[in-house]
């Protein structure tokens, strides 16, 4: 499904939902707003679309027969080129946090206004294209033997092993890289990630920080390089060298 007025540099979007009405209506609305849209009813169809087309954003329903959305999200999180927005009738904080911990870049509970979804899609587009690909900034950031390649959205351990990061995790890491040993409030981090002002936005920040901590595994005696400062925010407590 496509539309004649495709936006310049607009991402290809894949809608994965077992409800044919959702695929039809949501796909049509997104296409009408200038995006190229593909649809899949299950994990098998999704995998085929991903193999045949260059997809940038996946709108992923959780409740599906066969492989469910959470399992799919966990698989997709290993691909740094993909951004995932989870869509689910389960809208509790716990459900949102689980989706984000599994690698989703955003989460939108059903029912939602299609215009709100469009705003989330555009926020993901800005998150990927604006701060991360700034040609005037150094390409690599190094800290404690680790290396971050900004232009390729890659993180390498001191041993040279590539660590997969979601777009949200990478954006969070680069925010810390640009402001090491500086206290960053949750509001500052929400703004950097272009999250909205909903109540769960701070939980999204906390979840991304926890995911980064697990992947970095830095510090001696179990200490983390990302410090939590009570009532203040977070601080990346390591020197960063830009190359």
């Amino acid at each position: 499904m496509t539309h004649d007025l495709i936006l310049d540099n607009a991402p290809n979007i894949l809608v994965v939902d077992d409800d044919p009405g959702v695929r039809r209506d949501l796909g049509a609305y997104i296409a009408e707003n200038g995006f190229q849209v593909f649809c899949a009813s299950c994990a098998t169809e999704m995998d085929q679309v991903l193999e045949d087309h260059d997809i940038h954003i996946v709108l992923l329903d959780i409740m599906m027969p066969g492989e469910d959305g959470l399992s799919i999200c966990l698989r997709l999180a290993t691909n740094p080129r993909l951004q995932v927005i989870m869509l689910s009738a389960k809208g509790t904080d716990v459900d949102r946090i689980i989706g984000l911990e599994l690698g989703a870049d955003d989460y939108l509970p059903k029912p939602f206004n299609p215009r709100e979804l469009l705003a989330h899609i555009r926020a993901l587009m800005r998150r990927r294209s604006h701060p991360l690909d700034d040609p005037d900034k150094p390409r690599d950031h190094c800290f404690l033997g680790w290396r971050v390649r900004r232009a390729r959205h890659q993180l390498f351990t001191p041993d040279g092993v590539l660590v997969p990061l979601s777009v949200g995790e990478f954006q969070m890491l680069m925010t810390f890289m640009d402001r090491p040993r500086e206290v960053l409030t949750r509001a500052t981090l929400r703004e950097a990630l272009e999250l909205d002002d909903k109540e769960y936005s701070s939980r999204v920040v906390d979840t991304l920080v926890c995911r980064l901590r697990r992947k970095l595994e830095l510090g001696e005696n179990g200490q983390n390089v990302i410090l939590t400062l009570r009532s203040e925010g977070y601080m990346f407590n390591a020197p960063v060298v830009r190359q």
Side-chain angles (χ1 to χ4, degrees), residues 53-83:
H53 302 279
D54 187 16
I55 301 298
H56 305 98
I57 295 177
V58 177
L59 307 181
L60 179 62
D61 184 43
I62 290 182
M63 303 296 290
M64 292 191 298
E67 186 179 7
D68 65 25
L70 294 178
S71 175
I72 293 173
C73 182
L74 189 60
R75 288 201 288 120
L76 297 183
T78 62
N79 186 342
R81 289 177 53 83
L82 287 176
Q83 295 171 286

Side-chain angles (χ1 to χ4, degrees), residues 40-164:
S41 64
C42 62
T44 301
E45 290 185 7
M46 179 200 74
D47 289 337
Q48 188 62 55
V49 174
L50 292 175
E51 182 178 342
D52 295 341
H53 302 279
D54 187 16
I55 301 298
H56 305 98
I57 295 177
V58 177
L59 307 181
L60 179 62
D61 184 43
I62 290 182
M63 303 296 290
M64 292 191 298
E67 186 179 7
D68 65 25
L70 294 178
S71 175
I72 293 173
C73 182
L74 189 60
R75 288 201 288 120
L76 297 183
T78 62
N79 186 342
R81 289 177 53 83
L82 287 176
Q83 295 171 286
V84 177
I85 300 178
M86 301 207 76
L87 309 175
S88 176
K90 294 184 175 183
T92 67
D93 286 341
V94 172
D95 294 312
R96 294 183 180 115
I97 292 171
I98 289 174
L100 292 164
E101 286 182 338
L102 291 176
D105 295 287
D106 205 346
Y107 190 113
L108 197 59
K110 296 180 179 178
F112 52 82
N113 187 314
R115 294 181 63 182
E116 183 180 8
L117 174 60
L118 198 62
H120 282 249
I121 291 172
R122 286 170 173 162
L124 284 187
M125 291 172 60
R126 292 192 299 270
R127 188 188 302 178
R128 175 180 288 277
S129 65
H130 179 56
L132 299 184
D133 294 329
D134 187 344
D136 295 329
K137 292 186 178 181
R139 291 189 175 184
D140 287 1
H141 292 62
C142 301
F143 60 96
L144 303 180
W146 292 62
R147 178 176 294 271
V148 181
R149 291 183 176 169
R150 179 187 289 268
R152 295 187 178 182
H153 302 184
Q154 293 176 329
L155 169 67
F156 293 92
T157 70
D159 296 329
V161 178
L162 176 64
V163 179

Side-chain angles (χ1 to χ4, degrees), residues 16-33:
V16 183
D17 197 302
D18 64 311
D19 187 328
V22 171
R23 294 196 305 273
R24 180 188 65 248
D25 296 342
L26 191 57
Y29 179 81
I30 296 171
E32 288 170 0
N33 282 275

Side-chain angles (χ1 to χ4, degrees), residues 1-4 6 12-15 20-32 34-40 49 53:
M1 181 188 303
T2 62
H3 190 270
D4 292 338
I6 302 299
N12 295 332
I13 296 177
L14 172 58
V15 179
V22 171
R23 294 196 305 273
R24 180 188 65 248
D25 296 342
L26 191 57
Y29 179 81
I30 296 171
E32 288 170 0
F35 298 91
Q36 184 165 357
V37 182
F38 302 85
C39 294
V49 174
H53 302 279

